[in-house]
């Protein structure tokens, strides 16, 4: 690297007693930012998305700690050393935008979204009042309106939260507040036991939320699912009736649109009937699957979503908006969100301001400081339009179709089920195990295959894909295909690589 | 702007059926990112920190909505139009890094931190497992260790949370879990009423947390404060004793180091004695004041903090790390955090991985996806060292000393109290009100002064500072001085401008 910082040593510490000059040197700072930007473009965005480069550079924790020299010391470091650190962080981090990072529910990169993210960071806005966040108060509102429109609501409310887990929890809190507004002031002590209904394949945040909110994980009642992981409405009805007969108060049904592992869509319309019958808050955790609402072709998977009370949706997942970008959408028009959460702090939400204080939305949240998470989605949406986002969703389904078709043509790939969504769950059966399905130790041996393949791929750095057991099904791979950076050749590579890494097992 | 995008119209939508090419055009995307970066540097970082430029460009909401044209449409927009949008977002956003943005507990900019923020965004890492976040799992750990060291702990635990409010809530949950582990599974139903103790000047998140966690705001007991807003230990002792005698279970005392409005520091050592005596969890909300721990000269304000069970601290406030950067530090060495929050999701936290799965820290949190908030602090800390950060804290106190001295020299500035910290609370008394303290309508008239001055300054865009009432004290200004970008002339400007805007009232 050319020596752009001729004075590599940190400067003499300025005299603290001198108040005439600020502590920050803008010129030096901007130079550093420029150099970092170049590293980001080259190492993270170019190399990090190049299929000829590694997805990850595996190091054992001890070795990595040594390489990174993380310790925080008394004195500062020269700029060149710091730039090397920036390079190292980029080098040893997993390239989550890489077309062969198929490990999680986020992947790929959208440059408009990323531009919005950089701008949000630079502006460092706290989204609580119109006074300090005029642009973003209005923008968040508009993005929420756009998302609600896709749900099928012309009115309603909502807010961005730091993740789908937080959105799911908030839904529980709102359902509780609507039934028992006194919980806000008096707590749950002395109240009847409350119950929440969800499927065992729902996201673990429903349980975490129940624990956090003082409801308890035992009061999360698991409704049976069919083979494909979809909630069985008849069983829901029975479980609600049973819970009522046991003297508990059913609070909320949390359905899932796009379960984490199998990508299943609970039958919302039928569940809505049951929620209506029992008058229970219907929440849809569409953190993962919500983005199908953009697609004319696939939005039927969420038919009935407009009948829900609340919908959680993470544009940071399938829409590639970047972490964190998560909303809770509400059908409510009675200002429930604000009533449930307000404490009317006078230092922030003064009522004698010179503008319409209903724009001071911060008190709707249980957060105080709140990052701006709407700009990245807004800018990306403006850039490609609703149609462009729909196209990405449709293409993801096509990719999955192709992948499944190819798997069927190859020996050794065994699907759990025909996928409903972009999660493809499969076992890879090495040749030594083929035809041995009836052996007593078959399942045990099969369970050990995925972890070994995973270890090999991570150590080679060629790709990343996750595995897990589920119910009585031993370890299987879940490959998720939706990044706008992937193409057919990445899927072919994926299949070949699994074979190459696993065939000798 | 030169026409860097010769084909300004969006391209023909690619054929969705063609799987041979990805949907993203890297070259075009990187060009857009480059242009955005230039706008950020020029409009946000250069102009946005230039005292000759405005802090804010006030528009009425309706007008701003028209200017921004926020609506989300079916089709995408040409790149030039999008870049204009980036410029508009920058233009109409409040310049929170401006040396005359004195409105909130965040301000200024640190270029190393900002570089870390851009890098975090580009890497788009989810901080839950070592597998996908090797660098950041280790780095978060090291930053937490560094912060714990300043608290005075050689061991312990902790985690980054999306804000101080979330950190405070988590402390309540941990205190509850320690006393009543069964709450996690069974909820609060049937348990004795639990109580939380804090001062009326503590942050509203304590109440929001109590409501959210099902404990209820009425069970947050307000301990008296002295004139300067510091909790009175004797009253705490009495209130705890009383609460016990009423059959409630005292859960936690939430002390504040650096209250939001007055910047008061509760006497931690004395409060620790009382917590020990009653065996109650001692939590210190140092979201705002925690950064004094860097300063040899001022850390005495938090004497006794090492006796606490938990400390919440927001480096996004006084340390200028950028939103969001917030930690909860724990003295605990028994893995309470993990036990309290784990649900052992097998799709993420597989136990048969090929590395030490205790590095998969995600299950310690109630979040699932978790943004990387440690890199920005780590890089800034590496850049200036512990000493450099200490210097910033010390300098902030010097600035405040200067400001207070100047206020005393001028007529019309009336301090609420001698500041303990970097919050300077004062009334501005316009000449028409001077000497009228005994008039019946004096307080009413005084209450109207700050809102008018505020309106005028925002509409002129010269600076921003907040006001609020507190208890029986009518609207006063709270000016907060800590940004590493400020210098003496900004404080002189501040005083002159308040006089200029308010003298005729
Ligand atoms: C179905 C579902 N709901 C909720 C979540 C949680 O979202 P987050 O990670 O943003 O908390 C996830 C993802 O991890 C998910 O798959
Ligand atoms: C004392 C105190 N505690 C907690 C908070 C809340 O922090 P956050 O805004 O990150 O939720 C604040 C700031 O607003 C504060 O001043």
């Amino acid at each position: 690297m050319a020596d752009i910082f001729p004075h590599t040593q940190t400067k003499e510490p300025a005299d603290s007693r001198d108040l005439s000059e600020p502590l920050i040197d803008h010129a030096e700072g901007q130079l550093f930012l420029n150099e970092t930007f170049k590293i980001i473009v080259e190492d993270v965005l170019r190399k990090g998305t190049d299929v000829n480069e590694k997805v990850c550079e595996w190091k054992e924790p001890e070795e990595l700690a040594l390489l990174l020299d993380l310790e925080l010391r008394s004195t500062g470091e020269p700029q060149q050393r710091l730039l090397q650190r920036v390079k190292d962080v980029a080098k040893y981090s997993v390239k989550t935008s890489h077309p062969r990072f198929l490990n999680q529910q986020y992947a790929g990169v959208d440059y408009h979204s990323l531009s919005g993210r950089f701008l949000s960071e630079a502006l460092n806005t706290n989204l609580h009042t119109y006074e300090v966040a005029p642009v973003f108060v209005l923008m968040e509102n508009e993005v929420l309106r756009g998302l609600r429109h896709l749900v099928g609501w012309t009115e309603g409310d909502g807010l961005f939260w730091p993740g789908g887990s937080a959105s799911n929890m908030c839904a529980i809190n709102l359902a509780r507040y609507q039934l028992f507004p006194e919980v806000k002031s008096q707590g749950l002590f002395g109240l009847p036991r409350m119950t929440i209904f969800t499927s065992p394949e729902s996201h673990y945040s429903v349980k975490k939320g129940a624990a956090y909110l003082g409801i308890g994980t035992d009061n999360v009642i698991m409704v049976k699912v069919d083979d494909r992981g979809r909630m069985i409405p008849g069983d829901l009805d029975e479980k609600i009736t049973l819970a009522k007969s046991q003297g508990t108060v059913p609070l909320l049904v949390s359905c899932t649109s796009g379960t984490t592992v199998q990508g299943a869509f609970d039958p919302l319309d039928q569940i809505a009937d049951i929620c209506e019958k029992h008058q229970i808050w219907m929440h849809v955790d569409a953190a993962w699957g919500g983005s199908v609402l953009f697609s004319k072709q696939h939005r039927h998977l969420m038919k009935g979503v407009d009948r829900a009370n609340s919908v959680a949706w993470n544009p940071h997942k399938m829409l590639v908006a970047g972490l964190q970008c998560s909303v809770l959408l509400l059908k409510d028009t009675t200002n429930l969100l604000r009533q449930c959460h307000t404490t009317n702090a006078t230092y922030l939400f003064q009522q004698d301001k010179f503008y319409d204080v209903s724009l001071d939305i911060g008190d709707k949240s249980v957060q105080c400081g709140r990052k701006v998470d709407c700009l990245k989605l807004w800018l990306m949406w403006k850039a490609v339009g609703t149609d462009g986002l729909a196209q990405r969703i449709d293409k993801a389904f096509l990719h999955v179709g192709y992948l499944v078709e190819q798997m069927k043509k190859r020996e050794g790939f065994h699907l759990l089920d025909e996928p409903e969504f972009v999660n493809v769950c499969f076992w890879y059966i090495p040749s030594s195990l083929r035809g041995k399905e009836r052996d007593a130790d078959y399942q045990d041996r099969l369970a050990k295959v995925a972890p070994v393949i995973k270890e090999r791929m991570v150590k080679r750095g060629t790709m990343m894909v996750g595995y897990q057991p589920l119910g009585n099904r031993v370890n299987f791979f879940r490959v998720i295909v939706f990044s706008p950076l992937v193409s057919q050749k990445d899927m072919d590579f994926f299949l070949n690589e699994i074979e190459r890494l696993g065939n000798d097992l």
Side-chain angles (χ1 to χ4, degrees), chain A:
Chain A
M1 195 183 291
D3 194 3
I4 49 141
F5 291 102
H7 324 290
T8 55
Q9 287 311 309
T10 41
K11 288 180 298 189
E12 285 294 296
D15 177 4
S16 318
R17 310 248 130 222
D18 174 14
L19 302 187
S20 65
E21 287 299 326
L23 280 169
I24 297 281
D25 178 335
H26 286 285
E28 188 185 90
Q30 282 171 11
L31 202 50
F32 189 83
L33 191 66
N34 272 330
E35 293 304 308
T36 300
F37 184 72
K38 287 186 209 157
I39 297 170
I40 289 173
V41 170
E42 179 58 21
D43 294 1
V44 182
L45 298 172
R46 202 193 58 72
K47 282 198 204 150
T49 58
D50 179 350
V51 290
N52 300 312
E53 302 278 342
K54 285 182 171 186
V55 176
C56 60
E57 185 69 55
W58 171 261
K59 297 285 169 203
E60 295 294 334
E62 299 70 28
E63 192 190 347
L64 184 57
L66 276 179
L67 282 168
L68 293 174
D69 173 35
L70 293 163
E71 195 191 329
L72 297 161
R73 308 201 176 84
S74 306
T75 49
E77 296 184 346
Q79 304 299 306
Q80 286 301 351
R81 179 85 192 84
L82 293 166
L83 281 179
Q84 186 55 47
R85 294 191 176 282
V86 168
K87 278 180 103 53
D88 287 348
V89 167
K91 177 169 180 186
Y92 296 111
S93 287
V94 172
K95 305 304 178 296
T96 65
S97 304
H98 196 288
R100 288 161 192 180
F101 178 81
L102 306 156
N103 207 68
Q104 312 281 159
Q105 295 160 298
Y106 54 95
V109 64
D110 175 284
Y111 289 93
H112 294 104
S113 164
L114 190 59
S115 301
R117 295 163 78 184
F118 283 7
L119 181 56
S120 306
E121 292 296 321
L123 285 168
N124 201 35
T125 308
N126 209 330
L127 191 32
H128 43 43
T129 62
Y130 184 78
E131 174 183 330
V132 298
V135 172
F136 301 121
V137 164
L138 301 180
M139 188 182 284
E140 181 172 66
N141 202 11
E142 196 59 34
V143 175
L144 290 167
R145 188 208 312 276
L147 295 172
R148 275 198 309 265
H149 178 77
L150 291 167
V151 166
W153 295 335
T154 49
E155 295 182 304
D157 203 349
L159 210 61
F160 279 71
W161 291 88
S165 301
S167 296
N168 286 341
M169 281 183 206
C170 176
I172 302 176
N173 195 37
L174 291 171
R176 176 170 75 181
Y177 181 75
Q178 192 171 56
L179 267 192
F180 299 99
E182 68 273 25
V183 170
K184 184 175 175 185
S185 55
Q186 295 167 30
L188 290 166
F189 314 104
L191 284 178
R193 197 148 68 82
M194 298 168 191
T195 39
I196 292 168
F197 302 80
T198 195
S199 91
E201 305 213 0
S202 73
H203 189 256
Y204 66 79
S205 50
V206 178
K207 276 187 155 185
K208 286 210 179 188
Y212 206 58
L213 270 64
I215 292 172
T217 52
D218 288 356
N219 295 316
V220 180
I221 295 180
M222 293 300 168
V223 180
K224 283 191 199 135
V225 291
D226 65 18
D227 296 348
R228 306 269 288 269
R230 294 171 297 209
M231 190 185 277
I232 300 174
D235 191 55
L236 172 63
D237 195 11
E238 278 172 34
K239 294 256 161 77
I240 293 174
T241 307
L242 182 67
K244 280 182 175 173
S245 76
Q246 291 169 338
T248 80
V249 181
L251 211 56
L252 166 138
V253 176
S254 187
C255 334
T256 313
S257 290
T259 57
T260 312
V261 178
Q262 296 209 73
F265 285 78
D266 289 343
L268 302 184
D269 239 344
Q270 290 166 270
I271 295 172
D273 290 339
I274 295 163
C275 289
E276 264 171 30
K277 173 175 145 192
H278 293 281
Q279 298 209 12
I280 308 185
W281 185 289
M282 174 174 166
H283 172 65
V284 179
D285 174 359
W288 176 220
S291 302
V292 301
L293 291 174
F294 275 94
S295 159
K296 290 196 183 63
Q297 208 183 334
H298 299 287
R299 51 175 292 129
H300 69 87
L301 288 165
M302 289 181 67
K303 188 165 175 301
V305 64
D306 54 309
R307 299 173 66 191
N309 297 87
S310 54
V311 177
W313 181 351
N314 279 5
H316 73 230
K317 297 194 195 287
M318 197 171 182
L319 288 183
V320 195
L323 270 168
Q324 58 194 36
C325 190
S326 173
V327 298
L328 180 69
L329 305 173
L330 298 170
K331 189 195 266 163
D332 174 75
T333 54
T334 67
N335 227 355
L336 191 71
L337 194 56
R338 192 184 287 264
Q339 286 163 38
C340 179
H341 294 146
T342 183
T343 54
N344 290 316
T346 48
Y347 83 93
L348 204 52
F349 307 115
Q350 304 89 326
Q351 296 303 303
D352 52 7
K353 285 185 179 173
F354 62 94
Y355 60 84
D356 172 8
V357 293
S358 75
L359 292 168
D360 288 356
I361 51 173
D363 216 18
K364 287 187 179 186
S365 179
V366 294
Q367 297 193 268
C368 170
R370 210 159 58 91
K371 248 185 84 51
V372 169
D373 294 328
C374 56
L375 171 59
K376 51 196 167 190
L377 176 54
W378 180 82
L379 197 59
M380 175 171 75
W381 198 332
K382 279 285 194 191
V384 300
T386 311
D387 292 347
L389 294 174
Q391 190 194 16
R392 293 191 190 170
I393 307 302
D394 289 341
K395 191 142 181 181
F397 277 89
L398 289 175
H399 276 139
V400 165
Y402 175 79
L403 187 66
V404 166
E405 192 185 292
Q406 297 303 310
M407 282 188 178
K408 288 178 179 167
K409 287 188 187 153
R410 297 183 186 220
E411 259 192 306
F413 290 87
H414 190 93
L415 288 166
L416 263 77
D417 260 306
E418 217 47 54
E420 238 188 312
F421 191 31
V422 296
N423 308 30
V424 181
C425 296
F426 69 94
W427 287 282
Y428 178 70
I429 325 272
S431 19
S432 69
L433 277 177
R434 293 181 200 155
K436 306 278 171 61
E437 292 77 7
R438 296 207 161 65
D439 287 8
D441 62 352
Y442 179 80
Q443 294 293 332
D444 287 347
R445 289 176 62 194
L446 183 57
K448 296 202 174 73
V449 172
V452 176
I453 296 180
K454 177 70 179 253
E455 176 170 359
R456 291 177 176 178
M457 82 175 69
V458 169
K459 291 191 170 164
R460 295 179 61 99
T462 48
M463 62 183 194
M464 281 181 78
V465 56
Y467 71 84
Q468 63 282 297
L470 183 71
N472 55 14
R473 286 177 279 201
V474 300
N475 282 329
F476 55 88
F477 285 111
R478 172 197 69 169
V479 53
I480 300 192
V481 183
F482 67 95
S483 159
L485 267 55
V486 299
S487 62
Q488 197 168 303
K489 59 187 178 308
D490 300 307
M491 279 164 291
D492 293 333
F493 176 88
F494 174 80
L495 296 168
N496 294 336
E497 186 71 2
I498 291 275
E499 282 174 352
R500 207 164 58 84
L501 296 169
N503 202 32
D504 66 326
L505 292 176

